Structures are given as C-alpha cells and as structure tokens.
Amino acid sequence: MRKSQVNRRAVLGAIAGAGGLPLLLPSSQAQAQTQLPARDLIKELGVRPCINAAGTYTALTGSLMPPEVIAAIQVASRQYVRLNELHDAIGRRIAELLKCEAAMVSAGCASALTLATAACVAGDDPERIRCIPDTTGMKNEVLVQRSHRVGYDHAIRNAGVRLIEIETAEELEKKINERTAMMFFLNSSDPQGKIHHEEFVALGKKHNIPTLIDAAADVPPIENLFRFTKIGFDLVAFSGGKGLCGPQSSGLLLGRKNLIAAARLNNNPNSDSICRTNKVNKEELVGMLVALELFLNRDHAAVWKEWEARASKIIRALSEFSDVKAEVQVPAIANAVPHLHIRWDFEKRKLSPSQMADKLRDGEPSIEVVPGSRRELVVGVWMMQPGDDAIVAQRIRQILAST
C-alpha cells in the first residue's frame, strides 16, 4: 500500500471520529445523523412575538405557512436543481391548476408588478432587458386611473416607466400613443374608479395594449384566482404570503404565455436584468406551489365558520359592557374576510381606539390589531392561531373593565 493511500485513509478516519462524517455523506444520510434541536432565534435575539389580530400585513410578516409547506421546503432545501427547469415545471403546474395560459412565482406581488411591466416594455429583446430601467427608445408609459394610484405602484416605476393618470374611458383613449406600454388596474380601487374591470380590459384589447391587475390582497375568495384571467386581463399579480399562506417572499404572476416568458427573462437567474435582485429560489417555488394546492383543496366554508366563531367568542366576552357595540363586517373588496368592529363610549371611558391598540401592543402577550382606525377598534380574526381569540377577548375585556 502506498504512503499516500495510508495518509488519505488516516485523514478520513480522523474526520469521521471528530463528528465530521456527515460532510462526506449524501444529504439525506447527513440529515438523519445530525438531528439538531430547533433553535428559537426570535427568542434568542430578544425579538418580541405577537398575536396577529390584524391580518396579512407585511409589517407583521404576513401569514403563517402550513406544516405541509414547511415540509416541502425542507425537502427541496437538501437538493440541487437546475433553477430554470424547476421554474418551468412549477409554472406549468400552477397554470394548470388556475386554468390560465402561463404562470410564474415571483418574489412577492411587488416583484410581479415590476416583472409584468418589464415584460411589456422590453418583451424578449435581450438588449432592451439589459437597458431597463433606461427605457430610451422603448414604450415607457403606463396608463392608470388617478384613483388607482397607490404606494405599491413604485414597483411599476422601477421598470423605468412614467405613470400617466386618467379618469374616464374617453381620456384614456386620448392618452394612448406610440409610447404606451401597458394599462394598470388596482383591484382594491375598483369602486373609486370610473372605468371598471370589463371596460378596462375591452379598451386594452381594442388598442392592443396589455392590461395588468394588482390583486395582491384579494384571495380569498378563491374565485378571484380564476376571475381576472377569465375577464381577460393579460397579466394578474397576487401575493403568495397573504391569504394563500405561502412563503412571505413569494407571489404569483399569471397571464399570457408570451408575456410570462418575457417576465421570466427579467428575473433570476438571468444576471443582467431588473429583477435579478428579486431572487426566487427552489424553496419559495415549491413552497408556493404546495400552499396553492392546499388552498384550492381547503374546505373554505368550514374555515369561514371558524373565523365567525372567533369573532363571536370576542363579542360574547364583551357583552357585559352596556356601552360596547361589536359587530362583524366583511370588506367588499381586499381582505374580504370577517373583521370585528368594536366601539364604546370613548369620552366616558377616556379611552380611544388608538389608546386601546397601544395597550394591547404593550401588554403581555403583545397583540396587534388592524392599524390606522381612530373611530373604532378593528380586530382581524383570520390570522389568529387556535386559542388566540380567547386571549384577545380577555385582554380587551380587562382593559375596558379598568376604565
């Protein structure tokens, strides 16, 4: 036996004896031999968790992923794949499930808006894709109803376009020119606009201009996953980490096959592209698909009854206070799920809704309610975990009893 062979074996033996053997094993075997206890990094770092009695707000980390999603992510995390192949396969499966031409997973809904805009501006032209956000010589105007302007449309402007505001269908048609790349529609602002879904789509098709709808917070209801492509929007963007309960850093972009293909060219792993920074890896891809499958197969009627039961429990806990009025309301659009609206005699109790919200936040455990309301306390029940409704009811009751 040669000396080099002896030394090599000696080294391997030393590594194995030192606990380094998993480094030399296939990932599945290594995983089985290194069952490390799960660390609570949130606790270690001193970050205070809270009960989510608000909703799927990004500032509150959206929703919680079901165990099936976490399990799929864990399995994917231990394998290497060719990322574009997985993107293709996941996109085909999602398009099949949602009965649309094509689909892709994005890094949140905002990323989907940027990708959609870039697809409409640059198409599949490699040179134009590299130039964005410099859109010199390209179509670089996006038409939008004035009432549909929102802070999230910064994601559209990221692609180097100007937003051209209009109010009526007649004004929209007058503003269309050779620089018009896209028409943008914010679903939650539909009641405030003068041009509604079907007419907006019809105008886009009449002038051969792609239409994009932002429906980030519009699932549930489940029907919306199919509704907007059926209406005829060329591109539809959803959040993946809200009602769908996928990874918080995921989103969906659905629509025409050629536009989804162009959007993909503006995304990772393509290095010289506007959304190279919005990386979507295998974990978000499989997590989003599993979350979508679970959502589509959910007993939505049973889930709705559970939400109503949570609200009822809180209402019953407050029934002893004669000045307290509590009722369930469901927004007509965006986050269209049961919310509990609570009012009391603010002057008599010297307690405003914002002061109540502060007390809930500062107490133990910390509770976050729907932010921004000064006229009443709004409690979102749909992101609560089992038992949270009883805790929220008790805390609100205690605070009211002390005033």
Side-chain angles (χ1 to χ4, degrees):
M1 186 178 295
R2 292 181 307 210
K3 183 176 181 180
S4 59
Q5 290 177 311
V6 174
N7 289 344
R8 181 173 179 272
R9 290 180 180 177
V11 170
L12 292 176
I15 292 175
L21 183 59
L23 296 175
L24 307 174
L25 297 174
S27 59
S28 58
Q29 296 179 43
Q31 183 72 14
Q33 295 195 18
T34 56
Q35 294 295 329
L36 299 175
R39 294 175 61 189
D40 186 347
L41 267 295
I42 292 175
K43 184 176 182 179
E44 282 186 34
L45 297 171
V47 176
R48 195 177 183 211
C50 64
I51 289 177
N52 186 349
T56 57
Y57 294 89
T58 298
L60 295 177
T61 61
S63 57
L64 299 182
M65 292 180 284
E68 296 91 334
V69 174
I70 298 295
I73 287 174
Q74 289 177 331
V75 171
S77 73
R78 298 192 292 271
Q79 302 175 70
Y80 292 105
V81 297
R82 294 171 181 83
L83 190 56
N84 273 327
E85 289 184 12
L86 185 60
H87 256 298
D88 290 342
I90 295 284
R92 286 193 300 269
R93 176 62 175 153
I94 291 174
E96 177 186 354
L97 289 170
L98 299 184
K99 304 184 189 310
C100 56
E101 276 192 32
M104 66 175 291
V105 177
S106 62
C109 187
S111 177
L113 298 181
T114 304
L115 288 166
T117 309
C120 294
V121 169
D124 59 1
D125 186 315
E127 184 57 34
R128 292 190 172 201
I129 289 171
R130 283 193 293 271
C131 287
I132 289 178
D134 180 357
T135 57
T136 303
M138 307 182 206
K139 294 182 177 182
N140 57 9
E141 292 183 358
V142 172
L143 298 177
V144 58
Q145 294 179 73
R146 188 166 292 113
S147 58
H148 287 227
R149 289 300 306 273
V150 66
Y152 300 109
D153 64 30
H154 197 129
I156 294 173
R157 292 186 281 118
N158 283 349
V161 300
R162 289 196 309 131
L163 290 173
I164 309 299
E165 296 182 359
I166 54 90
E167 288 190 352
T168 66
E170 293 76 15
E171 188 179 359
L172 184 148
E173 292 196 275
K174 288 180 181 178
K175 293 287 186 179
I176 291 174
N177 59 60
E178 68 279 0
R179 295 184 301 279
T180 306
M182 189 181 77
M183 293 162 50
F184 172 65
F185 192 99
L186 179 64
N187 190 55
S188 61
S189 292
D190 179 56
Q192 291 77 46
K194 294 183 179 179
I195 314 173
H196 302 292
H197 297 92
E198 288 81 0
E199 183 180 13
F200 193 83
V201 167
L203 288 167
K205 293 190 182 306
K206 176 182 176 181
H207 296 279
N208 196 30
I209 298 172
T211 51
L212 163 68
I213 183 169
D214 177 351
D218 297 308
V219 179
I222 187 175
E223 293 78 15
N224 280 349
L225 287 170
F226 308 89
R227 177 188 173 203
F228 303 119
T229 50
K230 285 183 179 179
I231 288 175
F233 279 95
D234 298 291
L235 291 161
V236 182
F238 291 104
S239 172
K242 296 186 185 297
L244 292 174
C245 295
Q248 172 65 4
S249 55
S250 67
L252 290 174
L253 184 62
L254 319 176
R256 280 171 33 193
K257 195 170 184 178
N258 66 318
L259 290 176
I260 296 298
R264 284 277 305 279
L265 294 174
N266 286 275
N267 201 16
N268 77 300
N270 302 297
S271 58
D272 198 354
S273 61
I274 185 68
C275 282
R276 181 62 174 82
T277 55
N278 301 3
K279 184 178 290 185
V280 181
N281 201 20
K282 58 184 183 293
E283 291 81 10
E284 288 85 11
L285 287 167
V286 301
M288 183 70 262
L289 174 57
V290 173
L292 179 61
E293 291 174 339
L294 290 171
F295 184 83
L296 292 173
N297 291 320
R298 180 186 299 174
D299 185 340
H300 292 275
V303 171
W304 192 275
K305 287 181 180 179
E306 171 61 25
W307 293 338
E308 291 179 326
R310 293 173 187 172
S312 295
K313 181 177 289 188
I314 298 172
I315 291 173
R316 288 195 300 272
L318 305 180
S319 61
E320 66 183 86
F321 303 109
S322 60
D323 63 316
V324 174
K325 307 297 179 186
E327 63 177 359
V328 175
Q329 298 180 19
V330 178
I333 193 168
N335 299 305
V337 294
H339 287 73
L340 184 58
H341 292 246
I342 307 172
R343 297 174 295 280
W344 56 89
D345 189 332
F346 305 141
E347 292 298 325
K348 174 184 175 182
R349 293 182 179 276
K350 307 298 182 185
L351 180 71
S352 69
S354 60
Q355 289 170 327
M356 171 70 85
D358 289 342
K359 288 179 180 292
L360 291 170
R361 180 182 301 111
D362 296 338
E364 185 60 44
S366 180
I367 299 170
E368 286 288 349
V369 295
V370 176
S373 177
R374 297 181 179 181
R375 300 173 58 185
E376 57 193 354
L377 188 76
V378 183
V379 176
V381 298
W382 65 313
M383 287 296 117
M384 289 181 179
Q385 297 303 291
D388 285 351
D389 50 356
I391 297 172
V392 171
Q394 181 184 32
R395 287 284 306 285
I396 295 175
R397 182 184 174 281
Q398 288 175 341
I399 294 169
L400 289 172
S402 68
T403 59

PDB file of all heavy atoms in Angstrom, residues 136 165 337:
ATOM      1  N   THR A 136     -35.032  54.518 -22.866  1.00  0.00           N
ATOM      2  CA  THR A 136     -34.900  55.390 -24.033  1.00  0.00           C
ATOM      3  C   THR A 136     -35.174  54.605 -25.317  1.00  0.00           C
ATOM      4  O   THR A 136     -34.597  53.540 -25.535  1.00  0.00           O
ATOM      5  CB  THR A 136     -33.479  55.980 -24.101  1.00  0.00           C
ATOM      6  OG1 THR A 136     -33.203  56.673 -22.885  1.00  0.00           O
ATOM      7  CG2 THR A 136     -33.364  56.944 -25.271  1.00  0.00           C
ATOM      8  N   GLU A 165     -51.800  59.463 -15.611  1.00  0.00           N
ATOM      9  CA  GLU A 165     -53.084  59.375 -14.928  1.00  0.00           C
ATOM     10  C   GLU A 165     -54.232  59.819 -15.829  1.00  0.00           C
ATOM     11  O   GLU A 165     -54.135  60.817 -16.544  1.00  0.00           O
ATOM     12  CB  GLU A 165     -53.059  60.222 -13.661  1.00  0.00           C
ATOM     13  CG  GLU A 165     -52.056  59.741 -12.625  1.00  0.00           C
ATOM     14  CD  GLU A 165     -52.084  60.583 -11.356  1.00  0.00           C
ATOM     15  OE1 GLU A 165     -52.876  61.555 -11.306  1.00  0.00           O
ATOM     16  OE2 GLU A 165     -51.329  60.276 -10.417  1.00  0.00           O
ATOM     17  N   VAL A 337     -62.695  39.221   4.374  1.00  0.00           N
ATOM     18  CA  VAL A 337     -62.904  38.198   5.394  1.00  0.00           C
ATOM     19  C   VAL A 337     -63.508  38.880   6.622  1.00  0.00           C
ATOM     20  O   VAL A 337     -63.474  40.102   6.743  1.00  0.00           O
ATOM     21  CB  VAL A 337     -61.567  37.511   5.763  1.00  0.00           C
ATOM     22  CG1 VAL A 337     -61.015  36.723   4.586  1.00  0.00           C
ATOM     23  CG2 VAL A 337     -60.544  38.542   6.240  1.00  0.00           C
TER      24      VAL A 337
END
